[in-house]
């Protein structure tokens, strides 16, 4: 196993170098040269000033020299400065936008995967009941919706007609006028508190499933869940720093309701159908028949035997979705005016802001490689039948 992990890590490093190289050159050879035009084509700028601007941006060097310098600086943690927001470092821009994207899209991701897995599991287990057709048709209908149109209809319904939810953006400017915190500070605090509570909730459920005692399992599940949820609310209502931030975190959470709802309704059907299909295949396996022949309770057969194996393709899909969540969903961020990673990806490519675009894409590449690596390890954890074969 150690040799396998080491080999995979070496492969990840090599693939990332290839990805970074290809990305840099593809962006460099885009038609047009808006950066040089902006700094060197303005007739009001003296020739000496234009040369200084090009020299500071590194645009006066040959292409290969520019690439060599960029790669050398990249692996020292210096992603350069943005051409369009000069002299602001790329790292600062990404650090500003990344928390907004992570909080919104991870919340939506967890919500629709949880809903889709539960729905798919029960549809497969109770195949042929009255609600199966209704849930399936409704989910597939939502899944086939055109996202911008559906999002605008939800905005019209809940924000314009009913006036229940905010129209757009991620905060209320009036409420934040005299705020003692920056928005990103609240985003990061909200992210970490929610992540810790979610991990504790998942851990309690996982441990509960491993116990053979039904009563003990129920106690662990509900007790651990209550502690996780209670700890979440205790932080915001019982801890001084949480109490001060609570109003602003609540405002961000309030603005997240509509985009999370839209993403959940659009995407949960895909997870539901994937889970249902995988579960139906699993239920035909011999070991499921053996478990039933032993007289095990239906809940145990469903959750510990069938659902665990059926979770493999769903877990793969989830991890890979997490790996690409940094792109922020360009369409979703545009519709809801949510200034995240999706927006800077589009703007940096269109304006040929090479350092910013490469920096943003490099984060996607890193997360995608880590996601594939986690999937490989996760398969062995979820299905003991999968083993790593060493060669040589």
């Amino acid at each position: 196993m150690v040799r396998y992990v080491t080999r995979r890590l070496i492969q990840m490093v090599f693939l990332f170098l290839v990805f970074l190289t290809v990305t840099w050159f593809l962006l460099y050879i885009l038609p047009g040269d808006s950066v040089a035009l902006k700094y060197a084509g303005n007739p009001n700028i003296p020739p000496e000033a234009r040369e200084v601007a090009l020299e500071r941006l590194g645009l006066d060097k040959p292409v290969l020299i520019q690439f060599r310098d960029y790669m050398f600086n990249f692996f020292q943690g210096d992603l350069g400065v943005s051409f369009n927001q000069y002299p602001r470092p790329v790292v600062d821009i990404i650090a500003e936008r990344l928390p907004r994207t992570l909080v919104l899209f991870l919340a939506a991701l967890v919500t629709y995967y949880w809903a889709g897995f539960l729905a798919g599991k029960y549809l497969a287990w109770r195949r042929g009941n009255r609600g199966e057709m209704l849930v399936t048709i409704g989910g597939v209908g939502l899944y086939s919706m055109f996202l911008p149109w559906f999002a605008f209809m939800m905005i019209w319904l809940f924000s314009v007609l009913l006036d229940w939810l905010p129209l757009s953006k991620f905060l209320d400017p009036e409420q934040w006028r005299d705020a003692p915190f920056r928005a990103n500070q609240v985003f990061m605090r909200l992210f970490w508190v929610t992540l810790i509570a979610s991990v504790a909730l998942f851990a309690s459920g996982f441990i509960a499933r491993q116990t053979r005692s039904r009563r003990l399992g129920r106690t662990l599940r509900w007790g651990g869940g209550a502690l996780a949820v209670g700890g979440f609310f205790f932080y915001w209502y019982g801890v001084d720093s949480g109490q001060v931030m609570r109003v602003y975190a609540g405002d961000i959470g309030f603005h997240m309701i509509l985009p999370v709802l839209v993403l959940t309704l659009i995407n949960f059907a895909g997870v539901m159908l994937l889970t249902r299909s995988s579960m139906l295949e699993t239920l035909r396996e011999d070991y499921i028949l053996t478990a039933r022949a032993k007289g095990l309770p239906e809940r145990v057969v469903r959750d510990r035997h069938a659902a665990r194996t059926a979770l493999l393709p769903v877990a793969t899909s989830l991890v890979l979705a997490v790996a690409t969540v940094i792109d922020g969903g360009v369409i979703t961020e545009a519709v809801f005016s949510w200034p995240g990673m999706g927006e800077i990806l589009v703007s940096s490519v269109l304006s040929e802001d090479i350092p910013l675009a490469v920096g943003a894409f490099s984060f996607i590449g890193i997360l995608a490689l880590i996601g594939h690596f986690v999937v490989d390890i996760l398969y062995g954890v979820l299905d003991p039948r999968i083993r790593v074969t060493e060669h040589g």
Side-chain angles (χ1 to χ4, degrees):
M1 185 64 178
V2 175
R3 291 178 58 188
Y4 171 76
V5 171
T6 303
R7 187 167 62 248
R8 289 287 286 116
L9 289 175
I10 295 174
Q11 292 174 355
M12 286 170 59
V13 172
F14 176 75
L15 286 174
F16 179 72
L17 288 173
V18 173
F19 169 80
L20 190 60
T21 301
V22 172
T23 301
W24 194 91
F25 278 102
L26 284 177
L27 291 171
Y28 189 90
I29 64 175
L30 285 174
D33 193 1
S34 61
V35 175
L37 181 64
K38 179 178 180 180
Y39 288 95
N42 191 336
N44 297 321
I45 300 178
E48 297 81 5
R50 295 199 298 268
E51 293 178 4
V52 170
L54 290 173
E55 182 179 355
R56 287 181 176 178
L57 293 173
L59 300 176
D60 60 330
K61 301 177 182 178
V63 177
L64 293 179
I65 300 300
Q66 292 184 42
F67 173 70
R68 183 203 64 187
D69 292 344
Y70 181 84
M71 294 292 285
F72 180 78
N73 293 329
F74 182 92
F75 288 100
Q76 290 185 323
D78 180 10
L79 306 187
V81 296
S82 170
F83 291 166
N84 292 332
Q85 302 182 46
Y86 183 85
R88 195 177 181 195
V90 170
V91 173
D92 290 352
I93 299 174
I94 293 177
E96 177 187 75
R97 298 297 187 93
L98 185 59
R100 305 170 187 176
T101 293
L102 285 177
V103 171
L104 174 64
F105 287 90
L106 286 180
L109 196 72
V110 171
T111 302
Y112 71 72
Y113 263 87
W114 175 77
F117 179 72
L118 288 183
K121 181 175 71 172
Y122 284 101
L123 285 180
W125 189 253
R126 300 183 179 277
R127 185 180 183 185
N129 65 1
R130 296 179 180 179
E132 180 186 13
M133 185 65 67
L134 179 63
V135 174
T136 303
I137 293 177
V140 172
L142 289 169
Y143 186 72
S144 61
M145 288 280 188
F146 184 51
L147 176 58
W149 177 86
F150 182 70
F152 281 123
M153 290 300 99
M154 295 291 282
I155 292 173
W156 172 80
L157 175 62
F158 290 104
S159 300
V160 179
L161 186 63
L162 299 176
D163 195 23
W164 288 354
L165 299 172
L167 188 63
S168 62
K169 301 293 184 183
F170 65 98
L171 50 81
D172 182 0
E174 291 292 330
Q175 186 169 338
W176 286 73
R177 178 176 298 174
D178 300 320
F181 309 101
R182 291 183 292 109
N184 272 14
Q185 290 178 286
V186 182
F187 266 111
M188 290 308 298
R189 189 69 57 83
L190 187 63
F191 171 75
W192 285 114
V193 173
T194 305
L195 179 64
I196 292 172
S198 301
V199 170
L201 189 64
F202 173 80
S204 65
F206 180 79
I207 295 173
R209 290 180 184 276
Q210 304 309 308
T211 181
R212 296 182 179 276
S213 172
R214 186 171 183 179
R215 179 178 298 179
L216 179 60
R218 187 184 298 111
T219 302
L220 289 173
R221 182 182 297 108
W222 288 102
L227 286 175
V229 175
F232 176 84
F233 284 101
F234 174 77
Y235 176 82
W236 295 112
Y237 288 88
V239 179
D240 292 340
S241 59
Q243 290 181 9
V244 176
M245 276 192 178
R246 187 179 69 238
V247 175
Y248 304 102
D251 182 58
I252 291 175
F254 186 53
H255 282 77
M256 286 173 53
I257 293 176
L258 192 54
V260 168
L261 177 63
V262 168
L263 290 171
T264 300
L265 292 176
I266 287 288
N267 293 297
F268 95 96
V271 183
M272 176 187 70
L273 295 176
L274 178 62
T275 304
R276 179 179 178 274
S277 175
S278 178
M279 187 86 168
L280 289 175
E281 291 182 6
T282 303
L283 290 175
R284 291 194 290 265
E285 296 287 342
D286 292 339
Y287 69 92
I288 298 296
L289 297 177
T290 303
R292 283 175 166 168
K294 289 180 178 179
L296 295 177
E298 291 291 288
R299 181 186 63 86
V300 174
V301 176
R302 182 192 66 202
D303 294 338
R304 292 190 182 177
H305 293 76
R308 181 174 179 177
T309 305
L311 189 60
L312 285 171
V314 181
T316 303
S317 176
L318 172 62
V319 174
L320 296 181
V322 171
T324 56
V325 76
I326 192 176
D327 65 7
V330 175
I331 295 176
T332 306
E333 288 194 353
V335 170
F336 290 99
S337 301
W338 193 277
M341 291 295 296
E343 191 275 333
I344 67 169
L345 277 172
V346 175
S347 62
S348 61
V349 171
L350 292 178
S351 62
E352 297 186 42
D353 190 342
I354 296 176
L356 183 56
V358 175
F361 279 114
S362 66
F363 272 82
I364 298 175
I366 291 172
L367 286 180
L369 289 171
I370 293 175
H372 283 81
F373 177 74
V374 172
V375 166
D376 291 342
I377 303 301
L378 196 61
Y379 260 60
V381 174
L382 292 175
D383 191 345
R385 298 174 299 175
I386 299 176
R387 291 289 181 267
V388 176
T389 302
E390 300 286 355
H391 298 284

